[in-house]
mmCIF file of all heavy atoms in Angstrom:
data_model
loop_
_atom_site.group_PDB
_atom_site.id
_atom_site.type_symbol
_atom_site.label_atom_id
_atom_site.label_comp_id
_atom_site.label_asym_id
_atom_site.label_seq_id
_atom_site.Cartn_x
_atom_site.Cartn_y
_atom_site.Cartn_z
ATOM 1 N N GLN A 1 -3.264 -20.785 33.001
ATOM 2 C CA GLN A 1 -2.420 -20.758 31.813
ATOM 3 C C GLN A 1 -2.874 -19.685 30.831
ATOM 4 O O GLN A 1 -2.041 -19.088 30.129
ATOM 5 C CB GLN A 1 -2.438 -22.117 31.119
ATOM 6 C CG GLN A 1 -1.744 -23.226 31.867
ATOM 7 C CD GLN A 1 -1.680 -24.494 31.032
ATOM 8 O OE1 GLN A 1 -1.532 -24.447 29.810
ATOM 9 N NE2 GLN A 1 -1.788 -25.637 31.683
ATOM 10 N N ILE A 2 -4.160 -19.436 30.772
ATOM 11 C CA ILE A 2 -4.688 -18.466 29.809
ATOM 12 C C ILE A 2 -4.063 -17.095 30.017
ATOM 13 O O ILE A 2 -3.825 -16.349 29.057
ATOM 14 C CB ILE A 2 -6.223 -18.413 29.910
ATOM 15 C CG1 ILE A 2 -6.815 -19.719 29.368
ATOM 16 C CG2 ILE A 2 -6.795 -17.222 29.150
ATOM 17 C CD1 ILE A 2 -8.295 -19.869 29.582
ATOM 18 N N ALA A 3 -3.752 -16.755 31.276
ATOM 19 C CA ALA A 3 -3.149 -15.449 31.563
ATOM 20 C C ALA A 3 -1.782 -15.297 30.900
ATOM 21 O O ALA A 3 -1.329 -14.169 30.634
ATOM 22 C CB ALA A 3 -3.032 -15.248 33.072
ATOM 23 N N LEU A 4 -1.097 -16.416 30.616
ATOM 24 C CA LEU A 4 0.213 -16.338 29.977
ATOM 25 C C LEU A 4 0.127 -15.692 28.594
ATOM 26 O O LEU A 4 1.037 -14.981 28.167
ATOM 27 C CB LEU A 4 0.816 -17.741 29.848
ATOM 28 C CG LEU A 4 1.153 -18.471 31.154
ATOM 29 C CD1 LEU A 4 1.559 -19.915 30.859
ATOM 30 C CD2 LEU A 4 2.258 -17.750 31.903
ATOM 31 N N GLY A 5 -0.973 -15.967 27.881
ATOM 32 C CA GLY A 5 -1.126 -15.429 26.531
ATOM 33 C C GLY A 5 -1.219 -13.923 26.488
ATOM 34 O O GLY A 5 -0.998 -13.307 25.437
ATOM 35 N N ARG A 6 -1.543 -13.304 27.616
ATOM 36 C CA ARG A 6 -1.642 -11.844 27.662
ATOM 37 C C ARG A 6 -0.292 -11.193 27.943
ATOM 38 O O ARG A 6 -0.153 -9.991 27.806
ATOM 39 C CB ARG A 6 -2.666 -11.429 28.712
ATOM 40 C CG ARG A 6 -4.067 -11.979 28.432
ATOM 41 C CD ARG A 6 -5.106 -11.439 29.400
ATOM 42 N NE ARG A 6 -6.429 -11.976 29.071
ATOM 43 C CZ ARG A 6 -6.985 -13.022 29.667
ATOM 44 N NH1 ARG A 6 -6.329 -13.650 30.650
ATOM 45 N NH2 ARG A 6 -8.182 -13.463 29.306
ATOM 46 N N LEU A 7 0.690 -12.003 28.355
ATOM 47 C CA LEU A 7 2.020 -11.471 28.660
ATOM 48 C C LEU A 7 3.021 -11.706 27.543
ATOM 49 O O LEU A 7 3.826 -10.841 27.223
ATOM 50 C CB LEU A 7 2.567 -12.130 29.933
ATOM 51 C CG LEU A 7 2.050 -11.646 31.279
ATOM 52 C CD1 LEU A 7 2.854 -12.299 32.395
ATOM 53 C CD2 LEU A 7 2.128 -10.134 31.399
ATOM 54 N N LEU A 8 2.979 -12.902 26.978
ATOM 55 C CA LEU A 8 4.017 -13.293 26.031
ATOM 56 C C LEU A 8 3.391 -14.042 24.864
ATOM 57 O O LEU A 8 2.558 -14.920 25.052
ATOM 58 C CB LEU A 8 5.030 -14.206 26.743
ATOM 59 C CG LEU A 8 6.462 -14.249 26.214
ATOM 60 C CD1 LEU A 8 7.103 -12.869 26.298
ATOM 61 C CD2 LEU A 8 7.272 -15.256 27.014
ATOM 62 N N ARG A 9 3.790 -13.682 23.659
ATOM 63 C CA ARG A 9 3.317 -14.363 22.456
ATOM 64 C C ARG A 9 4.438 -15.278 21.963
ATOM 65 O O ARG A 9 5.541 -14.810 21.681
ATOM 66 C CB ARG A 9 2.941 -13.345 21.387
ATOM 67 C CG ARG A 9 1.810 -12.415 21.819
ATOM 68 C CD ARG A 9 1.721 -11.194 20.918
ATOM 69 N NE ARG A 9 0.535 -10.405 21.203
ATOM 70 C CZ ARG A 9 0.464 -9.455 22.121
ATOM 71 N NH1 ARG A 9 1.541 -9.176 22.859
ATOM 72 N NH2 ARG A 9 -0.642 -8.785 22.313
ATOM 73 N N VAL A 10 4.142 -16.553 21.856
ATOM 74 C CA VAL A 10 5.156 -17.537 21.486
ATOM 75 C C VAL A 10 4.659 -18.340 20.288
ATOM 76 O O VAL A 10 3.573 -18.913 20.332
ATOM 77 C CB VAL A 10 5.476 -18.485 22.661
ATOM 78 C CG1 VAL A 10 6.634 -19.408 22.290
ATOM 79 C CG2 VAL A 10 5.814 -17.700 23.933
ATOM 80 N N VAL A 11 5.465 -18.377 19.228
ATOM 81 C CA VAL A 11 5.144 -19.135 18.010
ATOM 82 C C VAL A 11 6.343 -20.020 17.700
ATOM 83 O O VAL A 11 7.488 -19.605 17.879
ATOM 84 C CB VAL A 11 4.859 -18.190 16.824
ATOM 85 C CG1 VAL A 11 4.599 -18.978 15.550
ATOM 86 C CG2 VAL A 11 3.685 -17.272 17.137
ATOM 87 N N TRP A 12 6.083 -21.267 17.243
ATOM 88 C CA TRP A 12 7.211 -22.161 16.995
ATOM 89 C C TRP A 12 7.076 -22.961 15.721
ATOM 90 O O TRP A 12 5.990 -23.183 15.206
ATOM 91 C CB TRP A 12 7.412 -23.105 18.177
ATOM 92 C CG TRP A 12 6.228 -23.927 18.587
ATOM 93 C CD1 TRP A 12 5.732 -25.041 17.993
ATOM 94 C CD2 TRP A 12 5.387 -23.689 19.727
ATOM 95 N NE1 TRP A 12 4.649 -25.523 18.681
ATOM 96 C CE2 TRP A 12 4.416 -24.714 19.754
ATOM 97 C CE3 TRP A 12 5.364 -22.718 20.737
ATOM 98 C CZ2 TRP A 12 3.435 -24.791 20.749
ATOM 99 C CZ3 TRP A 12 4.383 -22.789 21.717
ATOM 100 C CH2 TRP A 12 3.441 -23.812 21.716
ATOM 101 N N LEU A 13 8.258 -23.377 15.243
ATOM 102 C CA LEU A 13 8.383 -24.351 14.161
ATOM 103 C C LEU A 13 9.322 -25.436 14.640
ATOM 104 O O LEU A 13 10.438 -25.151 15.079
ATOM 105 C CB LEU A 13 8.952 -23.715 12.894
ATOM 106 C CG LEU A 13 8.051 -22.780 12.089
ATOM 107 C CD1 LEU A 13 8.807 -22.254 10.868
ATOM 108 C CD2 LEU A 13 6.787 -23.494 11.646
ATOM 109 N N VAL A 14 8.869 -26.676 14.568
ATOM 110 C CA VAL A 14 9.693 -27.820 14.966
ATOM 111 C C VAL A 14 9.694 -28.817 13.816
ATOM 112 O O VAL A 14 8.818 -28.791 12.943
ATOM 113 C CB VAL A 14 9.144 -28.456 16.261
ATOM 114 C CG1 VAL A 14 9.259 -27.484 17.427
ATOM 115 C CG2 VAL A 14 7.683 -28.894 16.101
ATOM 116 N N PRO A 15 10.699 -29.713 13.767
ATOM 117 C CA PRO A 15 10.817 -30.608 12.612
ATOM 118 C C PRO A 15 9.569 -31.413 12.293
ATOM 119 O O PRO A 15 9.282 -31.668 11.112
ATOM 120 C CB PRO A 15 11.988 -31.517 13.012
ATOM 121 C CG PRO A 15 12.841 -30.656 13.875
ATOM 122 C CD PRO A 15 11.874 -29.823 14.660
ATOM 123 N N VAL A 16 8.805 -31.817 13.306
ATOM 124 C CA VAL A 16 7.611 -32.616 13.033
ATOM 125 C C VAL A 16 6.596 -31.833 12.205
ATOM 126 O O VAL A 16 5.761 -32.420 11.508
ATOM 127 C CB VAL A 16 6.975 -33.104 14.354
ATOM 128 C CG1 VAL A 16 6.335 -31.956 15.120
ATOM 129 C CG2 VAL A 16 5.967 -34.215 14.098
ATOM 130 N N MET A 17 6.692 -30.492 12.233
ATOM 131 C CA MET A 17 5.766 -29.653 11.475
ATOM 132 C C MET A 17 6.152 -29.553 10.001
ATOM 133 O O MET A 17 5.408 -28.970 9.213
ATOM 134 C CB MET A 17 5.684 -28.263 12.109
ATOM 135 C CG MET A 17 5.067 -28.280 13.497
ATOM 136 S SD MET A 17 5.257 -26.699 14.383
ATOM 137 C CE MET A 17 4.241 -25.632 13.366
ATOM 138 N N ASP A 18 7.300 -30.109 9.634
ATOM 139 C CA ASP A 18 7.684 -30.083 8.222
ATOM 140 C C ASP A 18 6.652 -30.777 7.343
ATOM 141 O O ASP A 18 6.565 -30.517 6.147
ATOM 142 C CB ASP A 18 9.057 -30.735 8.024
ATOM 143 C CG ASP A 18 10.193 -29.895 8.596
ATOM 144 O OD1 ASP A 18 9.938 -28.726 8.950
ATOM 145 O OD2 ASP A 18 11.320 -30.422 8.707
ATOM 146 N N ARG A 19 5.854 -31.662 7.937
ATOM 147 C CA ARG A 19 4.813 -32.376 7.196
ATOM 148 C C ARG A 19 3.430 -31.796 7.473
ATOM 149 O O ARG A 19 2.411 -32.447 7.230
ATOM 150 C CB ARG A 19 4.851 -33.865 7.552
ATOM 151 C CG ARG A 19 6.121 -34.557 7.077
ATOM 152 C CD ARG A 19 6.090 -36.057 7.355
ATOM 153 N NE ARG A 19 4.923 -36.710 6.769
ATOM 154 C CZ ARG A 19 4.811 -37.062 5.505
ATOM 155 N NH1 ARG A 19 5.801 -36.817 4.652
ATOM 156 N NH2 ARG A 19 3.718 -37.652 5.055
ATOM 157 N N LEU A 20 3.403 -30.565 7.962
ATOM 158 C CA LEU A 20 2.135 -29.944 8.350
ATOM 159 C C LEU A 20 1.124 -29.922 7.209
ATOM 160 O O LEU A 20 -0.071 -30.141 7.419
ATOM 161 C CB LEU A 20 2.396 -28.508 8.826
ATOM 162 C CG LEU A 20 1.198 -27.785 9.442
ATOM 163 C CD1 LEU A 20 0.977 -28.251 10.872
ATOM 164 C CD2 LEU A 20 1.410 -26.270 9.432
ATOM 165 N N TRP A 21 1.601 -29.670 5.981
ATOM 166 C CA TRP A 21 0.677 -29.486 4.861
ATOM 167 C C TRP A 21 0.160 -30.796 4.287
ATOM 168 O O TRP A 21 -0.776 -30.786 3.489
ATOM 169 C CB TRP A 21 1.349 -28.677 3.749
ATOM 170 C CG TRP A 21 1.863 -27.352 4.202
ATOM 171 C CD1 TRP A 21 3.159 -26.930 4.199
ATOM 172 C CD2 TRP A 21 1.093 -26.270 4.728
ATOM 173 N NE1 TRP A 21 3.245 -25.656 4.702
ATOM 174 C CE2 TRP A 21 1.989 -25.222 5.031
ATOM 175 C CE3 TRP A 21 -0.269 -26.078 4.985
ATOM 176 C CZ2 TRP A 21 1.582 -24.007 5.567
ATOM 177 C CZ3 TRP A 21 -0.681 -24.859 5.537
ATOM 178 C CH2 TRP A 21 0.231 -23.853 5.810
ATOM 179 N N VAL A 22 0.760 -31.920 4.675
ATOM 180 C CA VAL A 22 0.360 -33.188 4.057
ATOM 181 C C VAL A 22 -0.301 -34.145 5.037
ATOM 182 O O VAL A 22 -0.797 -35.200 4.620
ATOM 183 C CB VAL A 22 1.574 -33.887 3.392
ATOM 184 C CG1 VAL A 22 2.122 -33.032 2.271
ATOM 185 C CG2 VAL A 22 2.658 -34.216 4.408
ATOM 186 N N GLU A 23 -0.326 -33.810 6.306
ATOM 187 C CA GLU A 23 -0.941 -34.704 7.280
ATOM 188 C C GLU A 23 -2.283 -34.160 7.753
ATOM 189 O O GLU A 23 -2.913 -33.369 7.064
ATOM 190 C CB GLU A 23 0.046 -34.970 8.419
ATOM 191 C CG GLU A 23 1.285 -35.716 7.905
ATOM 192 C CD GLU A 23 2.129 -36.323 9.000
ATOM 193 O OE1 GLU A 23 2.019 -35.903 10.160
ATOM 194 O OE2 GLU A 23 2.923 -37.237 8.674
ATOM 195 N N GLY A 24 -2.753 -34.580 8.926
ATOM 196 C CA GLY A 24 -4.102 -34.270 9.365
ATOM 197 C C GLY A 24 -4.344 -32.803 9.672
ATOM 198 O O GLY A 24 -3.414 -32.030 9.916
ATOM 199 N N ALA A 25 -5.628 -32.432 9.680
ATOM 200 C CA ALA A 25 -6.020 -31.036 9.881
ATOM 201 C C ALA A 25 -5.787 -30.550 11.297
ATOM 202 O O ALA A 25 -5.649 -29.342 11.527
ATOM 203 C CB ALA A 25 -7.499 -30.858 9.517
ATOM 204 N N ALA A 26 -5.738 -31.452 12.281
ATOM 205 C CA ALA A 26 -5.624 -31.034 13.681
ATOM 206 C C ALA A 26 -4.370 -30.201 13.923
ATOM 207 O O ALA A 26 -4.418 -29.172 14.613
ATOM 208 C CB ALA A 26 -5.639 -32.250 14.601
ATOM 209 N N ASP A 27 -3.238 -30.620 13.347
ATOM 210 C CA ASP A 27 -1.996 -29.865 13.539
ATOM 211 C C ASP A 27 -2.066 -28.506 12.857
ATOM 212 O O ASP A 27 -1.510 -27.522 13.352
ATOM 213 C CB ASP A 27 -0.800 -30.659 13.016
ATOM 214 C CG ASP A 27 -0.459 -31.834 13.916
ATOM 215 O OD1 ASP A 27 -0.811 -31.790 15.114
ATOM 216 O OD2 ASP A 27 0.151 -32.810 13.425
ATOM 217 N N ARG A 28 -2.731 -28.425 11.708
ATOM 218 C CA ARG A 28 -2.860 -27.131 11.028
ATOM 219 C C ARG A 28 -3.751 -26.188 11.847
ATOM 220 O O ARG A 28 -3.496 -24.984 11.911
ATOM 221 C CB ARG A 28 -3.420 -27.331 9.609
ATOM 222 C CG ARG A 28 -2.412 -27.963 8.661
ATOM 223 C CD ARG A 28 -2.901 -27.957 7.223
ATOM 224 N NE ARG A 28 -3.989 -28.907 7.000
ATOM 225 C CZ ARG A 28 -3.819 -30.195 6.721
ATOM 226 N NH1 ARG A 28 -2.599 -30.702 6.675
ATOM 227 N NH2 ARG A 28 -4.850 -30.989 6.509
ATOM 228 N N ARG A 29 -4.799 -26.738 12.467
ATOM 229 C CA ARG A 29 -5.633 -25.890 13.339
ATOM 230 C C ARG A 29 -4.812 -25.357 14.509
ATOM 231 O O ARG A 29 -4.929 -24.182 14.869
ATOM 232 C CB ARG A 29 -6.837 -26.674 13.858
ATOM 233 C CG ARG A 29 -7.950 -26.863 12.863
ATOM 234 C CD ARG A 29 -9.214 -27.352 13.538
ATOM 235 N NE ARG A 29 -9.047 -28.640 14.201
ATOM 236 C CZ ARG A 29 -9.216 -29.819 13.606
ATOM 237 N NH1 ARG A 29 -9.550 -29.870 12.331
ATOM 238 N NH2 ARG A 29 -9.061 -30.946 14.279
ATOM 239 N N ARG A 30 -3.990 -26.229 15.122
ATOM 240 C CA ARG A 30 -3.166 -25.779 16.249
ATOM 241 C C ARG A 30 -2.180 -24.705 15.813
ATOM 242 O O ARG A 30 -1.935 -23.733 16.537
ATOM 243 C CB ARG A 30 -2.429 -26.962 16.881
ATOM 244 C CG ARG A 30 -3.303 -27.767 17.830
ATOM 245 C CD ARG A 30 -2.474 -28.724 18.673
ATOM 246 N NE ARG A 30 -1.992 -29.840 17.897
ATOM 247 C CZ ARG A 30 -2.649 -30.989 17.753
ATOM 248 N NH1 ARG A 30 -3.812 -31.158 18.346
ATOM 249 N NH2 ARG A 30 -2.144 -31.971 17.038
ATOM 250 N N PHE A 31 -1.593 -24.882 14.620
ATOM 251 C CA PHE A 31 -0.664 -23.888 14.082
ATOM 252 C C PHE A 31 -1.368 -22.550 13.887
ATOM 253 O O PHE A 31 -0.855 -21.488 14.290
ATOM 254 C CB PHE A 31 -0.101 -24.411 12.755
ATOM 255 C CG PHE A 31 0.844 -23.472 12.063
ATOM 256 C CD1 PHE A 31 2.055 -23.131 12.632
ATOM 257 C CD2 PHE A 31 0.523 -22.935 10.813
ATOM 258 C CE1 PHE A 31 2.937 -22.270 11.985
ATOM 259 C CE2 PHE A 31 1.392 -22.088 10.154
ATOM 260 C CZ PHE A 31 2.605 -21.753 10.746
ATOM 261 N N LEU A 32 -2.554 -22.575 13.304
ATOM 262 C CA LEU A 32 -3.313 -21.350 13.103
ATOM 263 C C LEU A 32 -3.742 -20.739 14.434
ATOM 264 O O LEU A 32 -3.644 -19.512 14.623
ATOM 265 C CB LEU A 32 -4.541 -21.639 12.234
ATOM 266 C CG LEU A 32 -5.519 -20.473 12.032
ATOM 267 C CD1 LEU A 32 -4.822 -19.252 11.421
ATOM 268 C CD2 LEU A 32 -6.693 -20.906 11.155
ATOM 269 N N ASP A 33 -4.178 -21.558 15.369
ATOM 270 C CA ASP A 33 -4.619 -21.033 16.656
ATOM 271 C C ASP A 33 -3.464 -20.431 17.443
ATOM 272 O O ASP A 33 -3.655 -19.468 18.197
ATOM 273 C CB ASP A 33 -5.310 -22.128 17.474
ATOM 274 C CG ASP A 33 -6.726 -22.403 17.006
ATOM 275 O OD1 ASP A 33 -7.328 -21.511 16.390
ATOM 276 O OD2 ASP A 33 -7.239 -23.520 17.253
ATOM 277 N N ARG A 34 -2.256 -20.976 17.286
ATOM 278 C CA ARG A 34 -1.099 -20.390 17.960
ATOM 279 C C ARG A 34 -0.839 -18.986 17.435
ATOM 280 O O ARG A 34 -0.558 -18.063 18.208
ATOM 281 C CB ARG A 34 0.114 -21.300 17.732
ATOM 282 C CG ARG A 34 1.435 -20.807 18.278
ATOM 283 C CD ARG A 34 1.471 -20.609 19.745
ATOM 284 N NE ARG A 34 0.944 -21.734 20.520
ATOM 285 C CZ ARG A 34 0.848 -21.752 21.840
ATOM 286 N NH1 ARG A 34 1.232 -20.689 22.526
ATOM 287 N NH2 ARG A 34 0.355 -22.793 22.468
ATOM 288 N N MET A 35 -0.940 -18.788 16.117
ATOM 289 C CA MET A 35 -0.767 -17.451 15.555
ATOM 290 C C MET A 35 -1.935 -16.542 15.939
ATOM 291 O O MET A 35 -1.743 -15.356 16.237
ATOM 292 C CB MET A 35 -0.609 -17.533 14.032
ATOM 293 C CG MET A 35 0.698 -18.188 13.600
ATOM 294 S SD MET A 35 1.051 -18.027 11.818
ATOM 295 C CE MET A 35 -0.194 -19.126 11.157
ATOM 296 N N THR A 36 -3.150 -17.086 15.948
ATOM 297 C CA THR A 36 -4.316 -16.299 16.339
ATOM 298 C C THR A 36 -4.170 -15.798 17.768
ATOM 299 O O THR A 36 -4.511 -14.646 18.084
ATOM 300 C CB THR A 36 -5.598 -17.135 16.200
ATOM 301 O OG1 THR A 36 -5.716 -17.573 14.841
ATOM 302 C CG2 THR A 36 -6.829 -16.330 16.580
ATOM 303 N N LEU A 37 -3.646 -16.646 18.647
ATOM 304 C CA LEU A 37 -3.427 -16.268 20.035
ATOM 305 C C LEU A 37 -2.476 -15.086 20.154
ATOM 306 O O LEU A 37 -2.609 -14.256 21.058
ATOM 307 C CB LEU A 37 -2.877 -17.471 20.804
ATOM 308 C CG LEU A 37 -2.605 -17.295 22.300
ATOM 309 C CD1 LEU A 37 -3.888 -16.974 23.053
ATOM 310 C CD2 LEU A 37 -1.958 -18.559 22.860
ATOM 311 N N SER A 38 -1.524 -14.980 19.236
ATOM 312 C CA SER A 38 -0.581 -13.864 19.295
ATOM 313 C C SER A 38 -1.274 -12.529 19.028
ATOM 314 O O SER A 38 -0.845 -11.491 19.533
ATOM 315 C CB SER A 38 0.560 -14.079 18.289
ATOM 316 O OG SER A 38 0.136 -13.884 16.949
ATOM 317 N N PHE A 39 -2.355 -12.538 18.253
ATOM 318 C CA PHE A 39 -3.114 -11.320 17.987
ATOM 319 C C PHE A 39 -4.240 -11.112 18.998
ATOM 320 O O PHE A 39 -4.592 -9.974 19.319
ATOM 321 C CB PHE A 39 -3.718 -11.362 16.576
ATOM 322 C CG PHE A 39 -2.705 -11.426 15.470
ATOM 323 C CD1 PHE A 39 -2.552 -12.571 14.714
ATOM 324 C CD2 PHE A 39 -1.895 -10.333 15.197
ATOM 325 C CE1 PHE A 39 -1.619 -12.641 13.700
ATOM 326 C CE2 PHE A 39 -0.948 -10.386 14.177
ATOM 327 C CZ PHE A 39 -0.807 -11.547 13.425
ATOM 328 N N ASP A 40 -4.822 -12.194 19.455
ATOM 329 C CA ASP A 40 -5.996 -12.139 20.331
ATOM 330 C C ASP A 40 -5.751 -13.031 21.544
ATOM 331 O O ASP A 40 -6.035 -14.227 21.508
ATOM 332 C CB ASP A 40 -7.236 -12.613 19.561
ATOM 333 C CG ASP A 40 -8.495 -12.629 20.426
ATOM 334 O OD1 ASP A 40 -8.448 -12.128 21.563
ATOM 335 O OD2 ASP A 40 -9.525 -13.148 19.946
ATOM 336 N N PRO A 41 -5.218 -12.476 22.650
ATOM 337 C CA PRO A 41 -4.905 -13.288 23.829
ATOM 338 C C PRO A 41 -6.112 -14.012 24.416
ATOM 339 O O PRO A 41 -5.947 -15.001 25.137
ATOM 340 C CB PRO A 41 -4.345 -12.261 24.827
ATOM 341 C CG PRO A 41 -3.836 -11.139 23.980
ATOM 342 C CD PRO A 41 -4.778 -11.079 22.819
ATOM 343 N N ASP A 42 -7.331 -13.538 24.122
ATOM 344 C CA ASP A 42 -8.529 -14.196 24.643
ATOM 345 C C ASP A 42 -8.935 -15.419 23.822
ATOM 346 O O ASP A 42 -9.870 -16.133 24.200
ATOM 347 C CB ASP A 42 -9.705 -13.201 24.684
ATOM 348 C CG ASP A 42 -9.485 -12.100 25.711
ATOM 349 O OD1 ASP A 42 -8.839 -12.377 26.742
ATOM 350 O OD2 ASP A 42 -9.944 -10.963 25.483
ATOM 351 N N HIS A 43 -8.235 -15.646 22.718
ATOM 352 C CA HIS A 43 -8.600 -16.769 21.847
ATOM 353 C C HIS A 43 -8.482 -18.108 22.577
ATOM 354 O O HIS A 43 -9.307 -19.008 22.376
ATOM 355 C CB HIS A 43 -7.721 -16.768 20.600
ATOM 356 C CG HIS A 43 -8.082 -17.801 19.580
ATOM 357 N ND1 HIS A 43 -9.284 -17.804 18.908
ATOM 358 C CD2 HIS A 43 -7.392 -18.893 19.124
ATOM 359 C CE1 HIS A 43 -9.326 -18.836 18.074
ATOM 360 N NE2 HIS A 43 -8.200 -19.511 18.194
ATOM 361 N N ALA A 44 -7.473 -18.244 23.439
ATOM 362 C CA ALA A 44 -7.296 -19.496 24.176
ATOM 363 C C ALA A 44 -8.512 -19.787 25.046
ATOM 364 O O ALA A 44 -8.975 -20.935 25.123
ATOM 365 C CB ALA A 44 -6.033 -19.440 25.029
#
């Protein structure tokens, strides 16, 4: 799966993320790591 990050950068917003700023830190880390992966494919 890691090889996929070197071909295509995918970032998403879904309705459950509307509460991203008020709920637990785990989802915010995943959101940040998804964007980080778009710049650095080796991040995964």
Side-chain angles (χ1 to χ4, degrees):
Q1 291 186 35
I2 290 172
L4 295 172
R6 300 186 179 97
L7 282 187
L8 206 61
R9 299 164 172 87
V10 186
V11 177
W12 55 77
L13 287 180
V14 295
V16 71
M17 294 169 66
D18 290 349
R19 294 184 56 80
L20 188 78
W21 304 118
V22 297
E23 296 195 340
D27 288 336
R28 288 189 288 275
R29 283 193 299 272
R30 279 193 287 270
F31 178 65
L32 175 57
D33 283 337
R34 176 61 48 182
M35 292 191 289
T36 302
L37 181 62
S38 73
F39 298 110
D40 178 8
D42 292 328
H43 185 64

